[in-house]
Amino acid sequence: MITSESKALSERKAIVWAVRAISYLVYFYLIVVEIILVIGFFLLLFGANPTAGFTQWAYRNLDRVMAPFRGIFSPSELGTTGNDVAATFDTSVLFAMIIYGIVALLFSALIGWLSSRLNQIHAAEDELERQAEIAQQQADADARMLAAQQAAAQAARQPATAVAPTTAAPAPVAPTPPAPIPPSPPSNPGV
């Protein structure tokens, strides 16, 4: 039997589960962005060779995640490396890491709150099931009591039939043989 309360709990559970799943996806994206920012920051700082495949991939991804933060701060040139590549201390990348980190922390807190909310919904569902089980047991007990009362009323309405008492004859007792009398010791008056 589905009540409106259990239906509402199921709907709430589906919504919380969907929001939590989306939050996990965003949180995962933010963690990947943080990793890209850290890799890009250190590649810029140490003046990595921009013609290397990994460096090209890292800079390409760094440009995508840095789009909202470009131009906030001007990078500081630290000199050149052995490959005549400029080593750069890019404070915009550091600022982006801080902002993305704060957003990731907020999503982590949101996921924690949604998980606790989901646990509360599970507990409420368990309580509803327990209450439904108790109600069913009470209904079964009431039905048994009503059936017993009806059976007693039915028995009371039936006419009483006279039943002659039967007397049982006593069982014959077998005679017991008399117990043998032990011989008495001889009497010697003169001893």
Side-chain angles (χ1 to χ4, degrees):
M1 178 173 90
I2 297 177
T3 64
S4 61
E5 191 174 346
S6 66
K7 184 177 178 184
L9 279 175
S10 295
E11 289 172 0
R12 219 176 297 148
K13 179 180 171 183
I15 291 169
V16 170
W17 191 89
V19 171
R20 190 175 78 154
I22 292 169
S23 297
Y24 267 118
L25 290 174
V26 172
Y27 183 70
F28 177 73
Y29 171 76
L30 290 170
I31 296 300
V32 169
V33 165
E34 283 289 329
I35 292 169
I36 290 170
L37 286 169
V38 168
I39 291 171
F41 176 77
F42 283 109
L43 289 175
L44 287 170
L45 185 65
F46 297 132
N49 182 5
T51 59
F54 179 75
T55 308
Q56 289 176 352
W57 172 85
Y59 286 165
R60 221 179 14 253
N61 288 310
L62 184 64
D63 285 339
R64 287 185 191 131
V65 298
M66 283 296 298
F69 301 100
R70 281 281 173 219
I72 292 178
F73 302 107
S74 58
S76 301
E77 297 293 328
L78 301 176
T80 59
T81 62
N83 296 336
D84 291 331
V85 178
T88 307
F89 182 74
D90 197 344
T91 51
S92 295
V93 175
L94 282 177
F95 183 72
M97 285 193 304
I98 292 169
I99 298 300
Y100 279 119
I102 290 170
V103 174
L105 287 174
L106 292 174
F107 268 91
S108 176
L110 175 65
I111 289 169
W113 180 80
L114 289 170
S115 295
S116 69
R117 188 74 184 121
L118 202 56
N119 289 338
Q120 289 173 353
I121 291 172
H122 283 302
E125 284 178 336
D126 291 344
E127 179 64 23
L128 276 178
E129 287 177 13
R130 189 182 67 76
Q131 288 176 356
E133 185 177 310
I134 289 171
Q136 183 64 38
Q137 289 173 352
Q138 183 64 36
D140 291 345
D142 290 345
R144 283 192 301 272
M145 185 181 292
L146 182 62
Q149 288 173 351
Q150 288 175 347
Q154 182 75 18
R157 280 188 291 224
Q158 289 181 351
T161 56
V163 177
T166 57
T167 57
V173 178
T176 57
I181 301 177
S184 59
S187 63
N188 289 343
V191 186

